[in-house]
Amino acid sequence: MTSSSNVLRHRLAFVAALAIAAFANAQDDRSPDRDGPAPPTAPTRPAAGKDRDEAITQSRRALDDELVPLNFDDKSVEDFIPIIVEYTGKAVITRNQVPMNTKISIRSDRMVTKHDALNLIFQAFRLNSVGVVETPEMIMIDALNISNMSNFQPGLILGPDADVSTMPEEGQIVTKVFRLNHAKAADLADQIEDVKPEYARVSSDVNSNQLICEGDLAWVKRVQRLLDLLDVEPFLDVKTQTFRLAYADAQTIADIILELFSPSPNAGASRTSRTTAVR
């Protein structure tokens, strides 16, 4: 009887040891492998870049899905301000230079959402030389001209990764940075300068090969479409190669090559006279 009890106790102890070992292994599998103490958890930071840009227009007051008519006949800028305040829930700040009595007309035969109505109102402002900048806290309205562009601060700054083609707020004044992959920023800045509106500004950063455009979002979209077509690999791949001359004078050979490939109409006569002189 004693022998049977001892065998039973040994078996129970063995089973218990296996269970403890299995539980320990399961805990090790769920625990991350690391040496030393666990690293501190990094504090969370607000989203940057595209998420921050989208948060500006999404910071408007939550609107219902009710469709509203969009028919205004000879309304002044001041007449639109209560609508902007109601639809956005933000403070509206205007400067004394704003032509408040400018008459604006918007006519549409269809109903639109309140969000779309706001975007159309801002576009109507832009067409009448009135600029709008929207931030998470306020909306600033000022006369739209080159001397007032610096007054639209703090404005919306869009980085190189922001795709403006999907943004509907075409009436807003923004600053957009374009990163170029092939073309030189200074060269394209000169081309864009010829087709930009009077109130817009464009500059280039040579070090990062980026363009900086300040203007309404509709114009910035046009710039993005132009850059998609112009920022391509060069048609002629120019290479520089050095030739070492053993006997001839390098400057003399360089002058002959320039004359041979010169587009000047006198180049042929120069080559003929040179050939006659050599003979």
Side-chain angles (χ1 to χ4, degrees), residues 102-273:
T102 300
K103 299 302 181 182
I104 299 176
S105 297
I106 306 175
R107 297 180 179 88
S108 176
D109 60 353
R110 60 185 179 89
M111 308 281 279
V112 297
T113 64
K114 295 177 180 179
H115 182 78
D116 291 339
L118 269 178
N119 294 333
L120 290 172
I121 290 173
F122 291 163
Q123 291 187 55
F125 280 12
R126 172 177 57 85
L127 292 176
N128 288 273
S129 301
V130 178
V132 177
V133 168
E134 182 176 356
T135 73
E137 296 83 18
M138 69 185 75
I139 294 176
M140 293 170 286
I141 301 177
D142 198 354
L144 189 57
N145 53 60
I146 188 64
S147 61
N148 283 344
M149 288 300 294
S150 59
N151 294 330
F152 289 104
Q153 302 296 335
L156 177 59
I157 299 179
L158 304 173
D161 297 328
D163 183 10
V164 297
S165 63
T166 60
M167 299 181 180
E169 297 82 12
E170 295 190 350
Q172 291 199 41
I173 302 300
V174 300
T175 300
K176 177 70 172 75
V177 178
F178 293 99
R179 182 187 299 116
L180 303 180
N181 298 318
H182 304 288
K184 294 182 179 179
D187 294 340
L188 291 186
D190 293 337
Q191 298 185 43
I192 296 174
E193 184 74 26
D194 297 334
V195 297
K196 71 176 183 63
E198 294 182 357
Y199 56 82
R201 293 191 298 195
V202 58
S203 59
S204 62
D205 181 68
V206 179
N207 294 328
S208 61
N209 199 38
Q210 296 185 128
L211 281 177
I212 305 171
C213 298
E214 296 178 79
D216 61 276
L217 188 57
W219 174 70
V220 172
K221 286 184 177 182
R222 182 184 179 190
V223 173
Q224 179 167 305
R225 290 192 292 268
L226 286 174
L227 294 180
D228 290 341
L229 298 174
L230 298 177
D231 185 25
V232 296
E233 295 183 0
F235 178 71
L236 295 176
D237 190 8
V238 180
K239 296 182 180 179
T240 302
Q241 187 172 351
T242 303
F243 295 92
R244 185 182 299 276
L245 304 180
Y247 305 103
D249 179 66
Q251 186 61 49
T252 302
I253 299 299
D255 293 340
I256 295 174
I257 293 175
L258 288 175
E259 289 184 5
L260 289 173
F261 295 97
S262 173
S264 173
N266 298 325
S270 300
R271 290 195 296 268
T272 302
S273 62

